Amino acid sequence: MPSRLGVSAMLIAAGLGSLAGCNDGPTPGESRTAKSIDRQLAPVAETDAAFKHIDDQPSLDFRASWIKDELKRAAREEAVITRYAKFSDDVQADAMTPPSNPQFGPATRLVQAPLAKPASSPPLSSDDPSASPSLSDTGPIEVVPTPQPRPEMKGELIPTPQGLPESFDGAKETPPMARIAADVADSKAEAPSKDLTAPALIDPTTEAGMVAGDGPEDYNTWPAPDVLLFFTGNQHGYIEPCGCTGLENQKGGVARRYTFMEQLRKKGWDLIPVDAGNQIRRIVPQAAIKFERSTTALKEMKYQAVGYGPSDLRIGAGDLIAMAYSDEQMFVSGNVTIFEPELLPTYKVIRRGEWKIGVTSILDPDALEAATGSDITVSPMKEAAQAALKSMNGDGAEFRVLTFFGEEEAAKKLMTDVQGFDLIVVSGGYGEPLYRPQPIEGSKTKLIVTGNKGMYAGLVGLYQNQPMKYARVALTHEFEDAPEMRKLMADYQKQLEQLGFSGLGITPMPHRSGNTFVGSEACKDCHENAYDIWEGSMHALATEHLVEPPAERGDVPRHFDPECLSCHVTGWNPQGYYPYKSGYMDLTSTAHLGGNGCENCHGPGSAHVAAESNKANTPEIESLRKKLRLQVQLPIEKAREHCMECHDLDNSPDFHDEGAFEDIYWPEIEHND
């Protein structure tokens, strides 16, 4: 097995990241931070600089095969001697500044709990036909400094039905006061066991120990917690709300999340941000770019642990290592292996003050959307969770968290099989989070959910001598966009512009009708009244709103983003995010296809216009005209369903309210000619 430093240098040489820290094993009850001293070497810095720009990056197919060849080569080099700089015991988990005079110790691997594997593995081949292709663009990302916090704005607390109450076999007792969340498990046992000689401890995740009322918990009323766990998950590609129906009607986005986190830090609260994974949704080059930008945003927001979702794994092993392998070691997974188990930790123990928080993540194999390929392995959940729990208990974890991507029922089953976690954070289901943690029958573990599309943040406050507190907060328009994240969004859009459609793997496709798009002006001669109604509607301004967005988002044009163009121009597939042949391509060559035009509803009009323009009045021409007139008609009973291709639940939620189409939307564009 190659040494960790050898793998680090290998990844840097490929332009896949910087050297990652190592240590010589955990001291009981504490995690240490360490870095390779080779980061000081000039050749490493020169190599880093050589791969700064996108054009200098190797292709991702090359990345995956090259990494495998290097792993094979490094495994044979047994004579390589590696040494590491070791930090002192009192260094915090997120400290990254190396000591001026480091002391050297023997080479070891990252602190983790890898699953058992065969003593030897077959060599990896660069021409392995089963290796999955990866897609990406790794253009330069400017990291801007964090400004002074802005004035605090209260988040909207949206009522949600209360979670199911927990039943008790006996009468409640007055809970004693204690510092930790639950009994610390024996490091050699799968589940924690009580120390019968110690005073009785309160379990803040029980009904008796948990603060909950008849409504949402207001975090603004809390005393400052010792530690605040900040949970998010299942962003699902929604790195920002699109704003199509007004930002006041949409929740989520990293810019609002950043602002909220800075407000909490301004209070003096010590945050440990954790994300359950699934940053993207589509499996195209744009998704890989969005994953990269999302990773950058998570790092700037100082996330301590991030899991993987099923869509994340579909962008390819090379991309995932390129974005995850760094000094921060932000990505953590108990059962996902990329290339080799040593490349990513299976758990973390984060020390904040007197607290030691253990965190791991599990991806349910049943949640996978497709085969992962030979470079990515998703191990069985139960064994992985047991191994991570045992190891974090051995490191003295006092509050144990597992983030889980999959269905809630599967998460509950896992917690009954693996006893000892204090909290499981579930992402991947549907619906809004409840405002109190849910009990799990047969387990002391409590369950909370993240919700969808990164629209909510879950706050868990831990106190030395008080019960745990929990609140979920909707990321609404009341949180202003953080300039740091607005800059990241601008960089993202600029990258899309530089790549163009071909660089994003987008190729125009023929329309199923065989006809071509001619533009709304061509309809005007015969349908003057309908054209006037369209011209006065928001549909006609759809493209303009991408070029010059409303004031709240005016700093970031989006007319090079396929996910926006698909409903803001004429001649695109609105759910496939690609243009049809003869559809809109840019503001100059296809200016006549700006706006969401007539043909998006009535179909490409080339044949209809040609037939109506034909001066002949033969029976054949008249029959053709009648046939084509019927083809371009859209009956009102079918119109609502067609409109929902753009007015979907993501971008236009109020469109789906009862009577909204008939009473609000259709009257704005009603035409009958």
Side-chain angles (χ1 to χ4, degrees), residues 70-293:
E70 287 300 304
L71 286 167
K72 177 181 176 182
R73 178 191 61 76
R76 295 195 300 264
E77 296 180 355
E78 299 178 356
V80 175
I81 299 176
T82 306
R83 296 195 300 173
Y84 297 96
K86 182 176 69 176
F87 285 8
S88 61
D89 293 350
D90 57 352
V91 175
Q92 296 294 318
D94 57 355
M96 286 297 172
T97 306
S100 57
N101 296 305
Q103 301 297 318
F104 301 106
T108 56
R109 296 176 181 173
L110 276 179
V111 180
Q112 60 178 352
L115 297 175
K117 63 175 183 176
S120 61
S121 302
L124 296 169
S125 170
S126 62
D127 56 359
D128 182 2
S130 66
S132 59
S134 56
L135 301 164
S136 178
D137 174 273
T138 53
I141 304 173
E142 179 183 356
V143 179
V144 297
T146 301
Q148 294 297 318
R150 288 168 296 284
E152 178 176 343
M153 303 180 71
K154 295 184 179 180
E156 177 184 358
L157 294 169
I158 301 177
T160 301
Q162 182 170 320
L164 294 175
E166 183 178 10
S167 60
F168 289 89
D169 295 330
K172 297 181 181 178
E173 298 179 358
T174 303
M177 304 304 289
R179 180 180 63 79
I180 63 176
D183 306 309
V184 178
D186 187 288
S187 62
K188 297 182 180 180
E190 293 181 1
S193 59
K194 288 183 179 291
D195 179 2
L196 299 178
T197 63
L201 300 179
I202 184 174
D203 181 352
T205 61
T206 64
E207 184 87 10
M210 186 165 51
V211 174
D214 296 330
E217 181 80 12
D218 184 359
Y219 68 92
N220 289 298
T221 66
W222 293 1
D226 300 334
V227 178
L228 183 71
L229 302 177
F230 187 102
F231 293 110
T232 53
N234 201 17
Q235 180 176 273
H236 198 56
Y238 292 86
I239 197 169
E240 63 173 353
C242 71
C244 291
T245 59
L247 293 172
E248 68 279 4
N249 298 318
Q250 296 176 319
K251 299 187 286 288
V254 294
R256 293 170 174 175
R257 194 191 312 175
Y258 187 106
T259 294
F260 183 33
M261 297 172 77
E262 288 304 301
Q263 290 179 4
L264 296 173
R265 290 183 173 119
K266 185 181 178 182
K267 288 174 172 280
W269 293 8
D270 193 356
L271 268 64
I272 298 181
V274 177
D275 190 270
N278 223 46
Q279 308 302 326
I280 58 175
R281 56 172 176 161
R282 300 194 299 128
I283 314 305
V284 292
Q286 184 174 359
I289 297 169
K290 188 175 288 188
F291 185 90
E292 177 190 17
R293 297 296 179 177

Side-chain angles (χ1 to χ4, degrees), residues 483-547:
E484 297 82 0
M485 295 296 102
R486 303 296 311 133
K487 175 63 168 58
L488 187 143
M489 293 298 100
D491 291 344
Y492 167 63
Q493 293 295 332
K494 189 66 176 178
Q495 191 173 2
L496 298 180
E497 177 184 358
Q498 292 171 345
L499 287 170
F501 296 153
S502 61
L504 293 172
I506 294 176
T507 302
M509 303 293 289
H511 194 273
R512 62 182 180 274
S513 68
N515 299 325
T516 58
F517 292 87
V518 294
S520 298
E521 283 282 346
C523 307
K524 184 177 181 179
D525 290 342
C526 296
H527 305 279
E528 185 174 355
N529 180 60
Y531 180 86
D532 289 343
I533 293 173
W534 172 82
E535 191 176 34
S537 72
M538 299 297 287
H539 284 171
L541 302 175
T543 306
E544 182 180 332
H545 286 168
L546 295 182
V547 179

Side-chain angles (χ1 to χ4, degrees), residues 387-670:
L389 177 63
K390 181 176 179 180
S391 296
M392 68 173 64
N393 281 338
D395 285 350
E398 298 170 328
F399 192 86
R400 294 157 289 271
V401 177
L402 185 147
T403 66
F404 181 88
F405 196 95
E407 296 295 330
E408 287 186 37
E409 290 306 312
K412 293 177 180 179
K413 176 65 165 57
L414 181 62
M415 290 299 94
T416 59
D417 291 341
V418 182
Q419 300 283 336
F421 285 97
D422 297 285
L423 184 67
I424 183 169
V425 181
V426 181
S427 194
Y430 296 94
E432 296 182 343
L434 300 176
Y435 60 75
R436 66 180 295 178
Q438 301 177 48
I440 299 175
E441 184 178 356
S443 173
K444 292 179 63 178
T445 307
K446 293 301 178 290
L447 181 149
I448 63 174
V449 299
T450 64
N452 302 316
K453 305 172 188 174
M455 294 191 293
Y456 291 89
L459 309 183
V460 173
L462 300 180
Y463 299 84
Q464 288 190 11
N465 294 305
Q466 298 181 41
M468 177 184 90
K469 292 179 179 288
Y470 168 74
R472 68 94 197 265
V473 180
L475 299 176
T476 69
H477 68 289
E478 294 184 13
F479 295 105
E480 293 182 356
D481 284 352
E484 297 82 0
M485 295 296 102
R486 303 296 311 133
K487 175 63 168 58
L488 187 143
M489 293 298 100
D491 291 344
Y492 167 63
Q493 293 295 332
K494 189 66 176 178
Q495 191 173 2
L496 298 180
E497 177 184 358
Q498 292 171 345
L499 287 170
F501 296 153
S502 61
L504 293 172
I506 294 176
T507 302
M509 303 293 289
H511 194 273
R512 62 182 180 274
S513 68
N515 299 325
T516 58
F517 292 87
V518 294
S520 298
E521 283 282 346
C523 307
K524 184 177 181 179
D525 290 342
C526 296
H527 305 279
E528 185 174 355
N529 180 60
Y531 180 86
D532 289 343
I533 293 173
W534 172 82
E535 191 176 34
S537 72
M538 299 297 287
H539 284 171
L541 302 175
T543 306
E544 182 180 332
H545 286 168
L546 295 182
V547 179
E548 297 182 3
E552 311 98 296
R553 296 287 176 85
D555 56 324
V556 184
R558 290 171 176 78
H559 57 291
F560 298 98
D561 189 337
E563 293 180 353
C564 296
L565 286 171
S566 62
C567 282
H568 283 257
V569 297
T570 303
W572 276 57
N573 185 299
Q575 293 295 318
Y577 308 105
Y578 61 83
Y580 293 113
K581 288 184 177 180
S582 76
Y584 173 93
M585 294 301 290
D586 57 62
L587 292 172
T588 54
S589 66
T590 52
H592 63 294
L593 296 175
N596 191 316
C598 307
E599 293 165 289
N600 282 351
C601 295
H602 298 280
S606 58
H608 173 60
V609 170
E612 297 296 334
S613 301
N614 193 322
K615 302 300 183 182
N617 290 313
T618 64
E620 293 79 10
I621 292 296
E622 285 296 332
S623 176
L624 178 62
R625 287 172 182 158
K626 183 178 297 186
K627 175 183 176 181
L628 292 173
R629 288 171 185 171
L630 290 174
Q631 286 182 0
V632 298
Q633 290 179 8
L634 181 63
I636 187 64
E637 58 269 17
K638 295 183 179 180
R640 182 178 184 273
E641 181 179 354
H642 187 84
C643 293
M644 286 193 292
E645 291 184 358
C646 283
H647 290 276
D648 55 18
L649 283 169
D650 296 332
N651 301 315
S652 186
D654 56 341
F655 185 90
H656 297 255
D657 294 343
E658 184 177 356
F661 172 74
E662 296 81 359
D663 300 335
I664 301 174
Y665 284 88
W666 173 243
E668 292 184 2
I669 59 167
E670 184 174 0

